[in-house]
Amino acid sequence: MAHSGIDVLTAGSNFSRLLGGLWVTIKIALIAIIIGLIIGVLLGILRTLPNRPLRFILRLYLEFFRIVPTVVLLFLFYYILPKEFNVNLPADAVATLVFALWVAAEMTDIVRGALESVPQHQKEAGQAIGLTYWQLQRYVLIPQAWPLCLPATVNLMTRVVKTTSLLMLISVMDVINIGQQIIEANNKTAPNGVFWIYGIIFIFYFMINYPLSRWAKHLNKRRLEANH
Amino acid sequence: MSTPLLHVNHLEKYYQKTHILHDVNFELNTGEVLTLLGPSGSGKSTLLRCLNGLEAYQQGSITFDGQAVTQKPKQWQQLRQQIGMVFQSYDLFPNRNVLENILLGPLKVQKRTRAAVLPEVQQLLEQVGMADYANAYPRQLSGGQKQRIAIVRALALKPKLMLFDEVTASLDPEMVRDVLNIIRQLADSHAMTMLVVTHEMDFAKQISDQVLFLADGRIREQTPGKQFFEQPQTERAQNFLASMDF
Ligand SMILES: Nc1ncnc2c1ncn2[C@@H]1O[C@H](COP(=O)(O)OP(=O)(O)O)[C@@H](O)[C@H]1O
Ligand SMILES: [Mg+2]
């Protein structure tokens, strides 16, 4: 079995180190998604207000995070925040921050689109019974927009999980970084270890993203069915 | 004579540059039914929407129940609790069942207690023959049933004025009568003050205390009672009535 290199997975504390890395990955993705969702929903509602300067600023925010590649954002925040603003954040925190801002930016568009696709008549029917702006959002618009948001939101989550593979570039000890370290440490003794390490990482990512992607498909189907 | 419930004074409405309503004037007393007639595109819906703040008007004034309308969102939000509106397309909230549709206004807007509102709502539902449907969702109802619920939803706020905008126009003929009967009953037994836009001329004739005939955004005739139907003064009104197959 020495040739296959599969022992690399079990040798020493390798496997638990990989799991530790996976946990870092999941933690960053999860916190970023939760914070991003909350900020994104609020800002997404604001984007439906007829306030031009506000719309413009929020649009700019979205486009910035859309246009600039995530790697660049990570470097930007990792190297420039400490230098220019004297804010020293650990790499994990920088990664969480960047991902949360990215999720929030994308969410604003998902939420805005969903809210705007609720028929105007619904809004007027709500106004006609005297609902205030926030009551209208809460009882009429958001509950109807929510099912429209869900598939795109779950898709966004899978993108976030996938993009966490960039975290090693700013030295976050995520599952890929740990895997890379194990590979390098065992390069001499187990040259085929790379296959097994990335194989297990593949399985980890698959186990997270496959259910998410199935869920998104299911939600989408249900939404289409509900429309008929 | 007491002061009218609704007083519309030299109202002018534009959509951007397009002049839609020209110098609209009328009064509506408590307990009266005013029907608003006119060809399609004459501005009937626009006028109704100006009366509950869904559209802003640019000149003129409205007085409701002795209160000058300022057009501030906050004031409209208050006034809408007293000015109910029912639309052609019913517009029930699809995510809420019948009871939740109806209770939203009284509970959340007026902050009344469920215990106080429920008996009233139950009674309204019975009046419109929908008592068995409190837990149904809008998608399970026919058009006529939806419209009856939409009427109850507006009435549950105990408005002083009701606006009906062609509420039977999307309904199958056999359901039209039920809905019209409900409106008629509101006028007769409850003395509800109403402004009704309709294409049902028989109904209009029975129910009207006052008729406004609108064409191209101007009031062309303003007559008490049934007079409009028997002796329309203008040629436009005569043509209109003839075209209504009446
Ligand atoms: N939102 C809008 N923007 C611009 N023009 C409108 C709008 N709504 C209605 N109009 C125009 O105003 C006029 C009156 O429309 P409306 O009040 O709906 O008439 P009615 O209800 O009598 O059929 C029509 O010429 C219509 O095209
Ligand atoms: Mg109309």
Side-chain angles (χ1 to χ4, degrees), chain B residues 15-16 18 20-21 38-47 49 55 165-166 197 199 214:
Chain B
Y15 279 120
Q16 280 88 41
T18 322
I20 303 287
L21 295 175
S40 171
S42 55
K44 306 180 295 296
S45 296
T46 304
L47 176 54
R49 294 161 59 82
E55 294 291 345
D165 191 2
E166 299 199 36
V197 176
H199 281 129
L214 210 64

Side-chain angles (χ1 to χ4, degrees), chain B residues 4-246:
Chain B
L5 179 66
L6 178 68
H7 189 162
V8 175
N9 212 350
H10 299 300
L11 196 79
E12 308 274 345
K13 161 73 188 169
Y14 296 78
Y15 279 120
Q16 280 88 41
K17 290 273 175 318
T18 322
H19 202 160
I20 303 287
L21 295 175
H22 303 256
D23 194 27
V24 172
N25 295 284
F26 67 91
E27 289 180 358
L28 182 58
N29 291 314
T30 302
E32 275 187 0
V33 177
L34 184 157
T35 52
L36 186 55
L37 305 177
S40 171
S42 55
K44 306 180 295 296
S45 296
T46 304
L47 176 54
L48 244 56
R49 294 161 59 82
C50 285
L51 299 178
N52 79 344
L54 290 178
E55 294 291 345
Y57 51 89
Q58 283 69 41
Q59 274 178 57
S61 62
I62 298 175
T63 309
F64 177 78
D65 202 17
Q67 197 179 352
V69 171
T70 61
Q71 297 209 74
K72 298 227 168 71
K74 187 89 193 139
Q75 193 203 27
W76 273 131
Q77 194 260 323
Q78 300 289 326
L79 287 178
R80 282 176 187 138
Q81 298 170 45
Q82 298 167 57
I83 305 177
M85 178 151 180
V86 184
F87 305 86
Q88 178 178 338
S89 46
Y90 347 117
D91 304 315
L92 298 181
F93 307 126
N95 54 310
R96 310 175 73 84
N97 70 23
V98 164
L99 197 59
E100 293 165 345
N101 260 275
I102 299 168
L103 289 178
L104 190 58
L107 298 192
K108 301 301 174 184
V109 176
Q110 297 183 322
K111 315 272 189 230
R112 301 172 60 206
T113 65
R114 202 181 170 88
V117 180
L118 218 45
E120 293 173 12
V121 169
Q122 216 65 49
Q123 200 191 341
L124 286 169
L125 282 173
E126 266 159 42
Q127 263 176 49
V128 303
M130 292 293 291
D132 295 337
Y133 293 86
N135 296 314
Y137 276 84
R139 63 174 177 278
Q140 300 168 310
L141 305 179
S142 71
Q145 292 174 322
K146 282 186 212 173
Q147 196 56 292
R148 286 185 264 169
I149 298 304
I151 293 172
V152 172
R153 181 174 67 180
L155 291 174
L157 291 159
K158 303 193 191 176
K160 293 181 173 148
L161 170 66
M162 283 290 288
L163 311 173
F164 292 95
D165 191 2
E166 299 199 36
V167 294
T168 57
S170 325
L171 299 181
D172 293 335
E174 58 272 27
M175 307 191 166
V176 169
R177 207 195 49 215
D178 288 345
V179 172
L180 293 183
N181 280 339
I182 288 166
I183 299 174
R184 202 176 280 128
Q185 197 190 345
L186 265 180
D188 294 345
S189 342
H190 301 263
M192 175 62 78
T193 316
M194 307 195 277
L195 220 154
V196 182
V197 176
T198 182
H199 281 129
E200 303 287 334
M201 288 302 129
D202 287 314
F203 168 71
K205 188 174 172 182
Q206 291 165 7
I207 201 177
S208 302
D209 294 310
Q210 189 186 163
V211 174
L212 290 189
F213 176 68
L214 210 64
D216 299 329
R218 286 176 210 274
I219 295 181
R220 306 290 173 161
E221 294 201 26
Q222 183 162 15
T223 55
K226 332 287 178 213
Q227 194 182 313
F228 174 82
F229 301 94
E230 278 136 24
Q231 301 163 310
Q233 301 298 304
T234 60
E235 204 185 323
R236 293 191 77 136
Q238 287 158 15
N239 292 339
F240 171 77
L241 284 173
S243 76
M244 284 281 115
D245 208 12
F246 165 71

Side-chain angles (χ1 to χ4, degrees), chain A residues 134-174:
Chain A
W134 285 108
Q135 286 176 334
L136 187 66
Q137 298 290 330
R138 177 168 165 201
Y139 299 113
V140 178
L141 301 182
I142 292 175
Q144 290 185 58
W146 177 236
L148 303 174
C149 285
L150 261 184
T153 305
V154 177
N155 272 330
L156 178 62
M157 291 181 193
T158 65
R159 278 167 63 205
V160 169
V161 173
K162 278 200 279 191
T163 314
T164 54
S165 54
L166 297 174
L167 293 180
M168 66 175 294
L169 295 174
I170 58 166
S171 339
V172 174
M173 284 299 151
D174 73 322

Side-chain angles (χ1 to χ4, degrees), chain A residues 199-227:
Chain A
I200 197 81
I201 290 174
F202 165 83
I203 292 170
F204 285 161
Y205 272 97
F206 184 82
M207 276 168 22
I208 301 172
N209 266 345
Y210 185 69
L212 282 178
S213 137
R214 285 295 297 260
W215 188 29
K217 269 217 186 79
H218 168 76
L219 290 169
N220 222 350
K221 205 171 120 207
R222 220 180 43 186
R223 184 176 62 86
L224 290 176
E225 281 166 1
N227 285 347

